């Protein structure tokens, strides 16, 4: 980080500055937008083709949550809570990570039918703002207003970090705002102006607290550098106090989302990370340095850090390091910052600290855009020397040396095409600067020549980046949307209750409720409550604590009762457990079902339910038996295990280690390898299965050898229905082994459901059902009649933000399994009210409101005093600017 000293403007200069043309700022905004827009057009992105920018987590997470925010903005729903994800979740903390971008407010102006196009435009705007804000940073820091702003701002807006991670649209606001934060620091230290820093930092943290955390760390580094560049020792304490106060004020501006997000994070799996015990380095240093060149695909998911930001930035490091016009301490500080960021990308301990004491899952080195920012700032300093100073031949030689160093470092490391093209580009830049130095070019031709080479380089990088990130099909997202919408409308027309839940028999994304717009169970989010994931995993639903997900797949009557699932939509095929589901509507191959054993969001259970403990590593059928017994008081088990009648192994053998537990060994050279387990009951029974196989991806269900259905078991295992069987029918479970399989573990459970026990338990639980009389995003009220003392269980994820009143009296909420809400009740008729307010929201709102008030008061105070609160640092005059008769103490002595 290096900053050019320059004098404070007087009133006349400031007035003239206000009249400066804004052309270069506009170009800095529109050029990167146009470049990336062309790249997307070449990828056939709609409306110029049949593709879309939704890929990976953008496809699974970001767009569904943006659609959910869009719905709330248009309908006036609460931003504090949503029922369209994870049975109900803290929407404010989720929004703080996924959807807090101020640009998202603009989506409220468009209908949902064009929301994906609006999101594409939003992406282009964010990239444009990255260029504009970097240009503002250069203009305000170095006090220039010429075409050089466009050159370097475009390199920042189209650096490899943005080109590789632009699909991670939720990060781009804070990446774009970084230059404004640093410019605010420059104004604070150099000029005594604090407002830009406070507002930019607050907006950065508000837009995305996670990337904002990187900005905060870097702000400290940048401030230390600025102290070295500008401050004398006696000025240090005052500016440091000002910087600390302004940082707190900026954080307070965003506290309305920061505090709820902080408390929300305490419920997630990420709080369980362990600090590394040994220092390790990931990559060879030459490999990292070789990633600085252009013309190669950026990292889009896993790989090396995205460090490249244009070959010109590397070439200009030659004049920067060689020039005597730049002070040694500036060079040392700059190289130390670059080295620290580079080491952080390669050292496990620093990487862990940078990411908030957490090792990220995919998308490594999420702070690497800071390296590009620093490198481009140094390069701009070198470019100033080219434009303003009389170059020496040594400067040109330094550029040539840098060009060949780029070649030597990356040769045999990066692909040959990238190495040679980067070398040619570096030489072209050096030759153009040499011709300018020899006055073959005037300044206009010089800038034009540099711009042509840079445009070619950046367009190639954009093309490679958009190809690497890829696209997805536009027309099929989300699948069967029209039919699902029609069925949801039909369900709503048939159901006159205030609240009910729906789910899909198979998942399309892991956030189908948010994507299609219904009250559902599924959630895949970095803010997923770990306790809920364990609860779902224990009940045999697909879930992963470390994967931050739980979602609907398969089911039993027990899981549907305790999660409140009333309706099920099959986008294709039909359900196997048709005694539990009743068909109510069809549309173009999609079918809607109603739960025959439906329970509302709240119902009475035995007091013993409070003692239920989740056993996510246990047998899910036995977990369900325990839950059902504690809730109903019925001792007879609901599920009983069915023993294997026979097995059929092909190309493999297996050793049984106990009920449902096997170790298999694949035969070398076998073409087809599979494991089949056959079961037979003694009476008519509904069967449910659960299976995990090392290397297995799908399990096939057969009845007497005839195909019934198949289920994916490649990631999270779950209970799946197998259908109803007569006593003389054979149920088969078959899984194919991969070609490279050698050995592994098999877990296979098959249980039969006791319909009599189910009917008895359902009658008991439904007798204490809650009838809702009031329902909103953050409040629900219902009445119930309890036959005896017990618990009123609610299928609502437990958080400290929930408060309960029974008959108007505040009552403690009892968590069941540390996961779900329950309220103690006595025998008789009751009115129960549950109210939600995110923990930390009130304090955060007060902090944000207070920060705004403080900023207004400070502004009024400055206007009244007619002078700033902080005085600018007076520039130390150069020796030639001192009056001839002036003597310093040193010269007098």
């Amino acid at each position: 980080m290096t900053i050019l000293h320059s004098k404070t403007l007087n009133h006349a200069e400031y007035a003239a500055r206000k009249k400066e043309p804004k052309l270069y700022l506009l170009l800095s905004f529109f050029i990167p937008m146009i470049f990336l827009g062309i790249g997307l057009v070449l990828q056939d992105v709609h409306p110029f083709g049949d593709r879309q920018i939704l890929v990976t987590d953008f496809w699974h997470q970001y767009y569904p949550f943006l659609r959910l925010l869009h719905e709330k903005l248009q309908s006036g729903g609460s931003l504090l809570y949503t029922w369209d994800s994870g049975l109900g979740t803290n929407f404010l903390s989720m929004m703080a990570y996924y959807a807090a971008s101020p640009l998202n407010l603009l989506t409220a102006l468009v209908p949902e039918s064009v929301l994906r196009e609006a999101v594409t435009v939003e992406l282009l705007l964010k990239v444009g703002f990255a260029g504009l804000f970097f240009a503002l940073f250069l203009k305000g820091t170095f006090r220039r207003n010429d075409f050089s702003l466009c050159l370097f701002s475009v390199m920042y807006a189209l650096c490899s970090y943005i080109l590789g991670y632009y699909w991670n649209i939720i990060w781009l606001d804070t990446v774009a705002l970084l230059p404004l934060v640093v410019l605010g620091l420059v104004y604070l230290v150099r000029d005594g102006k604090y407002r830009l820093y406070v507002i930019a930092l607050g907006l950065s943290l508000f837009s995305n607290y996670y990337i904002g955390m990187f900005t905060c760390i870097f702000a400290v580094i940048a401030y230390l550098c600025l102290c070295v560049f500008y401050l004398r020792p006696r000025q240090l304490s005052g500016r440091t106090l000002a910087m600390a106060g302004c940082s707190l004020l900026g954080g307070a501006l965003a506290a309305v989302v920061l505090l709820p997000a902080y408390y929300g994070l305490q419920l997630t799996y990420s709080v369980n990370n362990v600090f590394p015990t040994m220092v390790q380095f990931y990559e060879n240093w030459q490999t990292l340095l070789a990633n600085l060149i252009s013309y190669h695909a950026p990292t889009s998911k896993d790989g090396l850090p995205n460090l490249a930001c244009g070959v010109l930035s590397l070439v200009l490091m030659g004049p920067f390091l060689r020039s005597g016009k730049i002070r040694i301490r500036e060079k040392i500080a700059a190289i130390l910052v670059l080295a620290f960021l580079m080491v952080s990308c390669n050292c496990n301990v620093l990487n862990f600290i940078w990411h908030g004491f957490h090792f990220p899952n995919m998308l490594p080195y999420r702070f690497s855009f800071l390296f590009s920012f620093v490198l481009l700032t140094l390069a701009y300093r070198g470019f100033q020397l080219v434009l303003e100073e009389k170059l020496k031949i040594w400067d040109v030689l330094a550029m040539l040396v840098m060009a060949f160093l780029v070649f030597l470092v990356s040769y045999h490391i990066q692909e040959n095409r990238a190495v040679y093209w980067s070398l040619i580009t570096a030489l072209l830049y050096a030759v153009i600067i040499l011709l300018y130095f020899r006055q073959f070019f005037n300044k206009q031709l010089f800038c034009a020549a540099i711009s042509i080479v840079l445009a070619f380089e950046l367009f190639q990088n954009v093309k490679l980046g958009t190809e690497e990130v890829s696209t997805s099909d536009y027309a099929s997202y989300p699948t069967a949307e029209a039919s699902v919408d029609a069925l949801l409308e039909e369900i709503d027309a048939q159901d006159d209750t205030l609240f009910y839940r729906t789910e899909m028999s198979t998942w399309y994304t892991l956030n189908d409720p948010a994507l299609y717009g219904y009250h559902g169970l599924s959630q895949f989010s970095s803010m997923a409550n770990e306790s809920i994931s364990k609860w779902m995993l224990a009940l045999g639903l697909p879930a992963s604590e470390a994967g931050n997900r739980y979602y609907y797949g398969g089911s039993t009557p027990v899981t549907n009762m305790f999660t409140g699932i009333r309706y099920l939509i099959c986008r294709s095929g039909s359900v196997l457990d048709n005694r539990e589901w009743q068909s109510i509507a069809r549309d173009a191959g999609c079918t809607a079902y109603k739960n025959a054993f439906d329970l509302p969001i709240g119902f009475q259970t035995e007091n013993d339910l409070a003692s239920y403990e989740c056993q996510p590593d246990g047998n899910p059928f036995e977990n369900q038996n325990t839950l059902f017994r504690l809730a109903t008081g019925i001792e007879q088990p609901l599920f009983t295990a069915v023993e294997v009648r026979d097995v059929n192994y092909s190309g493999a053998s297996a050793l049984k280690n106990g009920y449902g537990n096997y170790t298999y060994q694949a035969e070398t050279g076998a073409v087809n390898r599979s494991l089949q387990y056959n079961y037979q009951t003694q009476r008519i029974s509904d069967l449910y299965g659960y299976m995990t196989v090392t290397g297995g991806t799908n399990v096939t269900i057969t009845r007497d050898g005839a195909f019934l259905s198949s289920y994916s078991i490649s990631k999270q295992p779950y209970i799946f229905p197998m259908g109803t069987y007569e006593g003389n029918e054979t149920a088969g479970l078959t899984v194919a082994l991969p070609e490279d399989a050698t050995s592994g573990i098999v877990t296979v459970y098959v249980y039969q459901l006791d319909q009599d026990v189910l009917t008895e338990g359902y009658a008991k639980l439904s007798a204490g059902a809650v009838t809702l009389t009031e329902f909103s995003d953050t409040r629900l009220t219902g009445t119930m009649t309890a036959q005896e003392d017990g618990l009123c269980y609610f299928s609502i994820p437990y958080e400290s933000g929930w408060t309960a009143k029974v008959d108007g009296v505040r009552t403690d909420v009892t968590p069941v399994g540390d996961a779900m809400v329950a309220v103690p009740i006595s025998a008789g008729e009751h009115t129960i009210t549950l109210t939600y307010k995110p923990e930390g929201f009130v304090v955060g709102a007060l902090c944000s409101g207070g920060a705004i008030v403080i900023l207004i008061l400070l502004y009024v105070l400055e206007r009244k005093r007619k002078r700033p609160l902080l005085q600018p640092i007076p520039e130390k005059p150069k020796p030639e600017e001192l009056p001839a008769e002036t003597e310093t103490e040193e010269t007098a002595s």
Side-chain angles (χ1 to χ4, degrees):
M1 184 71 202
T2 183
I3 303 298
L4 177 68
H5 275 262
S6 51
K7 64 180 181 179
T8 303
L9 299 180
N10 58 36
H11 291 293
E13 291 171 324
Y14 181 76
R17 187 82 177 274
K18 298 285 283 186
K19 297 178 182 179
E20 288 181 349
K22 304 297 190 293
L23 174 63
Y24 303 119
L25 296 180
L26 291 174
L27 289 174
S28 298
F29 177 73
F30 284 109
I31 290 175
M33 286 180 60
I34 293 171
F35 269 59
L36 183 57
I38 294 173
L40 296 180
V41 169
L42 293 177
Q43 293 300 309
D44 297 322
V45 171
H46 193 268
F48 301 97
D50 59 355
R51 309 298 292 174
Q52 62 182 4
I53 62 173
L54 311 187
V55 295
T56 318
D57 287 349
F58 202 172
W59 193 87
H60 271 292
Q61 293 180 292
Y62 310 156
Y63 182 78
F65 295 148
L66 284 172
R67 195 217 67 84
L68 188 54
L69 174 64
H70 176 265
E71 181 184 9
K72 284 182 172 290
L73 291 175
Q74 290 198 329
S75 65
S78 172
L79 298 180
L80 302 184
Y81 200 78
T82 178
W83 298 97
D84 288 1
S85 182
L87 296 181
T89 195
N90 180 342
F91 186 71
L92 187 60
S93 65
M94 178 187 287
M95 188 182 75
Y97 184 68
Y98 290 104
S101 168
L103 291 177
N104 289 335
L105 297 175
L106 299 177
T107 64
L109 304 176
V110 303
E112 187 178 336
S113 58
V114 295
L115 182 58
R116 282 178 286 170
E117 288 80 359
V119 171
T120 303
V121 173
E122 187 178 329
L123 165 64
L124 297 177
L125 286 173
K126 291 182 180 185
V127 173
F129 279 120
L132 172 63
F133 294 159
F134 195 81
L136 286 171
F137 161 73
L138 295 178
K139 182 180 179 182
T141 302
F142 298 99
R143 290 176 172 147
R144 296 190 66 90
N145 188 29
D146 54 30
F147 194 70
S148 64
L149 301 182
C150 304
L151 298 177
F152 287 83
S153 61
V154 172
M155 284 194 282
Y156 180 72
L158 297 177
C159 66
S160 62
Y161 182 95
I162 290 180
L163 292 178
Y165 290 160
Y166 72 78
W167 62 268
N168 211 305
I169 191 172
I170 62 174
W171 292 355
L172 296 188
D173 298 76
T174 306
V175 175
L177 285 165
L178 171 69
L180 286 188
V181 175
V182 181
L183 177 59
L185 271 177
V186 174
Y187 285 167
L188 175 66
V189 174
R190 184 186 68 190
D191 305 326
K193 300 176 181 179
Y194 60 89
R195 273 191 292 273
L196 177 61
Y197 175 64
V198 172
I199 294 172
L201 181 64
L203 191 58
S204 178
L205 290 168
F206 184 93
S207 299
N208 188 278
Y209 65 84
Y210 183 69
I211 305 300
M213 173 181 63
F214 305 151
T215 300
C216 290
I217 297 173
F218 184 73
V220 175
I221 297 173
Y223 174 73
L224 294 176
C225 292
L226 292 171
C227 290
V228 172
F229 302 153
Y230 286 117
L231 301 182
R232 297 183 178 94
R234 67 176 182 273
Q235 300 164 330
L236 189 60
S237 59
R239 281 298 193 261
T240 300
L241 287 174
M243 191 270 186
C246 290
S247 298
L248 290 175
L249 198 57
L253 282 177
V256 67
V257 296
L258 290 182
L259 282 179
Y262 169 77
Y263 287 112
L265 283 170
Q266 304 313 301
L267 304 176
T268 65
Y269 180 81
S270 60
V271 299
N272 301 319
N273 291 285
V274 179
F275 199 91
T277 57
M278 295 180 59
V279 177
Q280 296 178 329
F281 293 95
Y282 300 120
E283 303 287 347
N284 178 279
W285 294 105
Q286 186 178 355
T287 303
L288 287 184
L289 292 172
N291 213 41
L292 284 167
I293 68 173
S294 289
Y295 303 102
H296 64 88
T299 297
S300 63
K301 295 182 183 67
D302 277 316
L304 294 171
N306 285 314
L307 303 174
C309 53
V311 174
L312 182 60
S313 64
L314 302 177
V315 171
L316 289 171
M317 284 297 291
F320 172 81
L321 294 174
R322 198 219 65 82
S323 174
K325 299 290 185 180
I326 300 176
R327 293 173 301 177
I328 294 296
R329 61 180 178 179
E330 290 188 40
K331 296 178 183 179
I332 293 175
I335 297 304
L336 286 178
V337 172
L338 280 178
F340 174 70
L341 293 172
M342 179 71 75
V343 173
S344 296
C345 289
N346 204 24
C347 175
N348 65 325
V349 173
L350 291 177
N351 188 37
F352 183 82
I353 295 172
W354 269 104
H355 289 102
F357 296 91
H358 171 69
F359 284 121
N361 181 22
M362 288 204 321
L363 290 89
Y365 320 109
R366 301 177 182 187
F367 56 89
S368 59
F369 66 95
L370 300 172
F371 185 94
S372 297
F373 175 84
V374 175
L375 183 59
L376 285 170
T377 303
L378 306 184
Y380 190 77
R381 186 74 168 92
F383 196 71
Q384 278 192 311
L385 298 173
V386 172
L387 291 177
E388 294 182 347
E389 307 292 342
K390 185 175 181 181
L391 291 180
K392 298 180 179 179
I393 192 63
W394 299 111
D395 295 302
V396 178
L397 290 176
M399 286 184 279
L400 293 173
V401 169
M402 291 301 301
F404 281 103
L405 281 177
V406 168
F407 175 80
L408 292 175
V409 168
S410 55
Y411 190 63
H412 287 319
I413 303 294
Q414 278 288 2
E415 53 192 90
N416 288 339
R417 173 184 176 278
V419 174
Y420 288 118
W421 274 107
S422 294
L423 175 62
I424 292 170
T425 303
L427 292 176
L428 280 174
Y429 286 133
V431 169
I432 292 170
I433 294 173
L434 176 61
L435 293 175
Y436 176 66
F437 165 62
R438 291 294 185 182
Q439 298 182 348
F440 286 94
F441 287 161
N442 59 25
K443 187 172 291 187
Q444 288 74 24
L445 287 177
F446 168 70
C447 289
I450 289 287
S451 299
I452 291 171
V453 178
L454 181 63
F456 175 81
E457 177 190 355
L458 291 182
F459 182 76
Q460 296 301 316
N461 290 342
V462 168
K463 188 172 181 293
L464 289 167
T466 52
E467 290 173 353
E468 177 68 17
V469 172
S470 74
T471 56
S472 60
D473 183 61
Y474 179 89
S476 63
Y477 186 91
T479 185
E481 181 180 21
S483 294
V484 170
D485 287 345
L487 291 177
L488 289 174
E489 291 177 4
E490 179 66 24
I491 289 171
D492 193 58
Q494 294 185 25
D495 198 307
D496 58 359
T497 60
L498 293 178
F499 178 83
Y500 57 86
R501 288 199 180 99
T502 306
E503 261 301 346
M504 301 287 181
S505 59
T506 56
W507 58 89
Y508 176 66
T509 71
L510 301 185
N511 284 297
D512 279 356
L515 179 61
Y516 288 92
Y518 59 83
H519 301 330
L521 177 150
S522 301
Q523 182 182 113
F524 170 33
S525 163
S526 294
M527 305 303 295
N529 189 325
E530 181 188 9
S531 296
I532 309 302
S533 297
K534 290 181 177 180
W535 170 274
M536 299 299 178
L537 192 58
L539 293 184
L541 285 167
S544 169
E545 307 104 294
N548 302 315
R549 66 194 68 184
Y550 54 91
Y551 46 105
Y552 195 86
S555 68
T556 73
V558 174
T559 55
N560 293 324
M561 286 178 183
F562 284 85
T563 57
I565 305 300
R566 182 176 298 174
Y567 298 101
L568 186 68
I569 295 177
C570 286
R571 281 170 290 219
S572 62
S574 59
V575 296
L576 292 184
D577 47 346
N578 47 30
R579 291 209 287 181
E580 280 71 53
W581 295 104
Q582 301 168 348
S583 176
I584 59 172
R586 288 184 60 83
D587 186 281
C590 296
T591 308
Y593 297 88
K594 185 175 182 180
N595 185 1
F597 297 94
D598 163 57
L599 286 175
I601 192 172
F603 52 87
Q604 184 187 2
T605 70
E606 298 285 339
N607 272 319
D608 291 342
L609 184 64
S611 65
Y612 174 76
E613 295 182 2
C614 287
Q615 300 291 335
D617 297 326
N619 183 323
F621 290 104
E622 297 304 332
N623 289 337
Q624 290 200 22
N625 278 338
T626 301
L627 182 66
F628 193 76
R629 173 177 56 81
L630 294 175
T632 63
I634 299 174
E635 293 296 329
Q636 186 175 348
L638 178 62
F639 292 99
T640 55
V642 180
E643 290 290 344
V644 174
R645 190 193 67 188
D646 58 67
V647 297
N648 182 16
Y649 301 141
S650 175
S653 59
L655 175 66
K656 186 174 183 180
N657 303 315
Y659 177 74
N661 295 310
Y662 299 83
T663 303
Y664 78 80
Q665 188 76 32
E667 296 178 2
T668 304
V671 177
N672 296 315
R673 304 169 178 180
S674 64
L675 307 172
Q676 181 176 351
Y677 298 87
N678 299 315
Y679 300 83
Q680 189 171 15
T681 64
Q682 302 302 313
R683 55 186 172 86
I684 298 177
S685 299
D686 292 336
L687 296 185
Y688 293 85
Y690 177 92
M691 192 173 194
T692 65
V693 180
T694 304
T697 57
N698 290 282
V699 57
T700 300
I701 315 298
T702 58
R703 179 191 285 120
D704 289 339
F707 174 83
L708 288 182
S709 185
S710 66
Y711 299 96
S712 172
I713 59 172
S714 59
K715 293 184 178 178
Q716 286 79 41
Y718 57 95
I719 293 176
F720 46 82
M722 298 172 59
T724 304
Y725 294 80
E726 304 286 346
N728 60 349
E729 292 179 321
T730 300
L733 295 179
T734 305
V735 61
L737 300 176
E739 294 182 0
D740 58 350
T742 55
S743 61
I745 297 173
V746 178
T747 301
V748 54
Y749 302 138
V750 172
Y751 277 68
Q752 61 184 358
L753 175 69
D754 191 319
Q755 283 287 336
D756 294 335
V757 175
L758 175 63
T759 302
E760 180 185 356
Y762 173 70
K764 186 170 184 178
L765 296 176
S766 59
V770 173
T771 301
L772 290 183
T773 58
E774 177 189 0
F775 175 79
S776 69
D777 285 341
T778 57
R779 180 184 174 90
L780 56 89
T781 300
T783 60
M784 64 164 299
T785 300
Q787 302 300 319
E788 57 186 10
D789 294 353
L791 287 178
C792 186
Y793 167 89
F794 289 90
S795 54
I796 299 174
Y798 171 75
E799 291 183 36
S800 58
W802 282 108
T803 57
K805 288 184 179 181
V806 178
D807 301 326
V809 178
R810 180 74 175 265
T811 304
D812 291 337
V813 174
T814 300
V816 175
D818 198 32
M820 308 301 285
V821 168
V823 179
I825 54 168
S826 59
E829 296 183 358
H830 299 287
T831 298
I832 303 175
T833 299
L834 293 177
T835 306
Y836 181 79
K837 189 178 295 178
E839 187 176 5
F841 171 69
V842 174
V843 176
L846 290 174
C847 289
S848 296
I852 294 173
V853 170
I854 290 173
L855 282 175
I856 294 173
L857 291 176
L858 290 176
Y859 175 76
V860 172
L861 179 62
E862 285 182 317
R863 296 279 294 190
K864 187 175 181 180
R865 296 174 60 191
K866 296 183 179 180
R867 60 188 177 89
L869 293 177
L870 300 173
Q871 295 302 314
I873 299 298
E875 183 182 9
K876 188 176 181 179
K878 297 177 182 179
E880 61 269 19
E881 295 176 345
L882 291 171
E885 68 275 15
T886 300
E887 282 189 340
T888 64
E889 292 183 4
E890 288 80 4
T891 57
S893 62

